[in-house]
């Protein structure tokens, strides 16, 4: 997914779409308010059925996270169906701007010097028993002597995917998956599901893809 910065009509910059998902996406460039730490911007989805969804986002620069402050849903005829508004900033729920997400694209549009989004970010590690290719996002590796975190992608032969955040423990040779986002279905009717496995620690088995990930980090 990419921002076409010169494809701006009426203040809307085309984001394109999440790979495998049918909705078109835009940001209202005229609505951008930002400083060195935070930004606020309106985002718009248009579904294949003609429904429009407007979201006001708050993005945090340092932690690369975003929250929805307001949300409005309109029928194809323009009738407003749903309106949601978070009245207090203390109640905003922030989520990661994970790789290839629409929020990451918006983040890159706002602070392009802070993020690497080119295709070569993904390094191929191998293929699992289900035929899914497994990649690591080299640009997201954060590591110390004992712990590391990194984003990975598992791409199925059908085109669906899972992008997961791994936390690796060097001494214990184990890992957890605090959050994973999955495209459940391609095209119309497709949606992205989020799951957390933060409390489950898994051993790094010999000859596994996780072992290849471990070896690539240390």
């Amino acid at each position: 997914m990419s921002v076409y910065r010169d494809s701006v009509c009426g203040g809307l910059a085309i984001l394109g779409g999440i790979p495998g998902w049918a909705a078109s996406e835009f940001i209202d460039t005229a609505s951008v308010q930002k400083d060195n730490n935070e930004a606020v911007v309106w985002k718009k989805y248009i579904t294949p059925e003609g429904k429009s969804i407007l979201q006001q986002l708050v993005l945090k620069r340092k932690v690369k996270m975003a929250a929805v402050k307001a949300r409005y849903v309109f029928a194809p005829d323009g009738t407003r169906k749903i309106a949601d508004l978070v009245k207090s900033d203390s109640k905003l729920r922030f989520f990661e701007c994970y790789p290839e997400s629409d929020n990451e694209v918006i983040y890159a549009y706002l602070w392009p010097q802070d993020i690497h989004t080119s295709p070569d970010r993904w390094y191929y590690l191998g293929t699992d028993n289900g035929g899914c290719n497994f990649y690591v996002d080299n640009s997201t590796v954060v590591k110390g002597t004992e712990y590391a975190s990194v984003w990975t992608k598992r791409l199925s032969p059908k085109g669906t995917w899972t992008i997961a955040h791994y936390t690796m423990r060097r001494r214990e040779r184990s890992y957890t998956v605090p959050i994973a986002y999955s495209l459940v279905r391609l095209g119309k009717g497709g949606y992205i599901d989020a799951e957390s496995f933060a409390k489950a620690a898994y051993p790094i088995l010999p000859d596994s893809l996780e072992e290849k990930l471990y070896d690539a980090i240390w």
Side-chain angles (χ1 to χ4, degrees):
M1 178 167 46
S2 57
V3 174
Y4 301 96
R5 300 187 187 182
D6 56 347
S7 300
V8 180
C9 300
L12 292 179
I14 302 170
L15 293 181
I18 296 173
W21 203 31
S24 298
E25 303 171 58
F26 309 83
I27 59 170
D28 181 1
T29 57
S31 73
V32 174
Q33 304 173 57
K34 73 168 184 172
D35 56 29
N36 286 331
N37 301 309
E38 185 177 286
V40 179
V41 64
W42 283 93
K43 176 174 70 174
K44 182 179 184 179
Y45 296 101
I46 301 176
T47 70
E49 298 80 17
K51 183 172 66 175
S52 297
I53 303 169
L54 285 174
Q55 292 182 341
Q56 187 182 41
L57 299 179
V58 178
L59 294 98
K60 298 289 187 179
R61 183 179 186 179
K62 185 176 181 179
V63 294
K64 292 186 175 67
M65 301 186 83
V68 177
K69 187 170 185 178
R71 178 176 177 267
Y72 300 89
V73 180
F74 297 87
D77 64 1
T79 304
R80 193 172 76 182
K81 294 295 186 180
I82 301 173
D84 296 312
L85 178 64
V86 179
K87 296 181 179 180
S88 172
D89 287 353
S90 64
K91 295 184 178 180
L92 290 172
R93 297 183 61 197
F94 283 88
F95 298 92
E96 297 93 344
C97 298
Y98 64 90
E100 296 187 349
S101 67
D102 51 349
N103 287 342
E104 187 196 54
V105 174
I106 295 172
Y107 184 99
Y109 180 83
L110 296 168
W111 298 291
Q113 69 274 23
D114 288 2
I115 196 165
H116 176 68
T117 58
S118 66
D120 64 0
R121 69 193 295 177
W122 295 111
Y123 178 76
Y124 173 74
L125 288 178
T127 302
D128 65 18
N129 293 333
C132 298
N133 291 334
F134 187 65
Y135 304 86
V136 57
D137 183 351
N138 283 326
S139 69
T140 64
V141 176
V142 178
K143 72 173 182 176
T145 56
E146 294 298 329
Y147 300 94
S149 64
V150 65
W151 285 95
T152 66
K153 178 167 69 173
R154 208 175 289 261
L155 182 62
S156 80
K158 295 180 180 180
T160 55
W161 47 258
T162 295
I163 294 177
H165 195 205
Y166 274 67
T167 298
M168 314 290 287
R169 293 170 172 81
R170 187 177 190 180
R171 186 177 301 176
E172 296 89 344
R173 293 186 65 87
S174 66
Y175 68 94
T176 59
V177 183
I179 190 71
Y181 300 91
S182 299
L183 178 66
V184 176
R185 189 180 300 114
L186 289 172
K188 184 177 180 180
Y191 63 95
I192 295 172
D193 187 31
E195 293 183 278
S196 176
F197 309 94
K199 295 182 179 180
Y202 304 97
I204 295 174
L205 302 178
D207 298 323
S208 66
L209 291 174
E210 283 74 23
E211 185 180 55
K212 290 185 178 181
L213 177 60
Y214 179 96
D215 291 339
I217 294 173
W218 288 294

